[in-house]
Structure formats: C-alpha cells, structure tokens
Amino acid sequence: MITKVLMVCLGNICRSPLAEGILQSKVDTNSVFVDSAGTGGYHIGNPPDPRSIAVARKYGIDISKQRCRQFSVKDFDAFDIIYVMDKSNYTNVIAKAKTQTAISKVKLLLGEIDGAIKEVPDPYYDQQDGFEHVFHLIDSACEVITNKLNARQ
Ligand code: 4NP
C-alpha cells in the first residue's frame, strides 16, 4: 500500500517544495508518494523560488521541475497525512475540512521533532541563509517521518 504525504505552506514556492523534495529523497518512492501545495494561489504553475532550488541543489536534491499548485479540499481524500509548515497554514487548511477524519490528517511538520521551534519560518523575505535554516529544520523532521514510515511497512 502506498502512503501519500502532502506538504503544505502558503505560497508552495519556498518551504513545501523543499519538504516535498527532501522527503522524496529519503523514502522508497514505490511505497511513499509525496506532493506539495500552497494555501494561497499567487504562484500557481510557477517553479519553486530560485533560493529554494539553490539550497536543495547544494544538498543534491533537484526540485526545479516542481510546479506550484493550490491546496484543494480534494486533497483530504487523496492524502493520508498533510504536513503544514506553520500555524497559519494549519488554520487555513483546517478551515476547508468537512470531517473529523480530514482534520485528523493535518499536522505541524515540526511536531515530528522535539525542538523548541514549532513552525518552519517563512523565508520569502529573507536572504539565502534563511533558506539554509529552513532546509535543515525540514530535513530533521523528514528524517523522523522516514523512520516512522519505514517502521510501518
Ligand atoms: P512559502 O513562502 O509559503 O514558503 O512558499 C511564500 C512564498 C510567497 C509568498 C508568501 C510565502 N507570497 O506572498 O507571494
């Protein structure tokens, strides 16, 4: 059985494309499907932000072929787990949920790790080092998620 994981942020050009690429790079893609989406619709059809593409490439991950799409209510049925990057993403996603099952699928990505930082900060207005920080936060959480997914099979 394939486990389907959706990574969600606001724009789907900075954080969630990184989360998609990082998790995809760690899991067996025959048993885990990873996608990403944004709650906002500002960048639909666009590739990820060049700074996200650059930091991913630095660590050997190519996210340049991803294209931005908007989160849809259908994603609650299409995915098993929906990871959001911050609490405002959580509020925006939950607002579209119609069932308790749908709500129960939505989790903060950094809830998977024990650190003090609970939200992946939006790096959109940062310099490149903001993207480096975000990469490592997401990478730590994806390591834990991968171990959990492997234990499940
Ligand atoms: P993301 O960052 O949610 O990590 O993709 C953002 C990208 C673009 C915008 C906001 C956040 N924007 O307002 O255009």
Side-chain angles (χ1 to χ4, degrees), residues 8 43 58 61 66 72 113 118 122 128 135 139 142 145:
V8 175
H43 303 280
K58 179 177 167 188
I61 299 169
Q66 292 184 28
S72 141
I113 51 179
K118 292 295 171 210
D122 185 347
Q128 189 70 45
F135 182 96
D139 189 63
C142 287
I145 293 166

Side-chain angles (χ1 to χ4, degrees), residues 9-15 42-43 122-125:
C9 63
L10 173 58
N12 190 214
I13 55 165
C14 297
R15 293 166 291 176
Y42 326 107
H43 303 280
D122 185 347
Y124 190 53
Y125 297 103

Side-chain angles (χ1 to χ4, degrees), residues 34-90:
V34 191
D35 192 15
S36 67
T39 58
Y42 326 107
H43 303 280
I44 294 170
N46 292 348
D49 187 285
R51 296 164 295 177
S52 283
I53 292 176
V55 76
R57 184 172 290 140
K58 179 177 167 188
Y59 293 101
I61 299 169
D62 180 12
I63 63 167
S64 66
K65 292 179 189 67
Q66 292 184 28
R67 292 297 176 265
C68 172
R69 75 166 178 92
Q70 191 164 19
F71 178 81
S72 141
V73 69
K74 290 182 194 141
D75 289 319
F76 287 116
D77 293 327
F79 290 88
D80 303 299
I81 313 170
I82 299 169
Y83 283 114
V84 292
M85 301 298 128
D86 64 31
K87 291 174 188 167
S88 72
N89 305 150
Y90 185 86

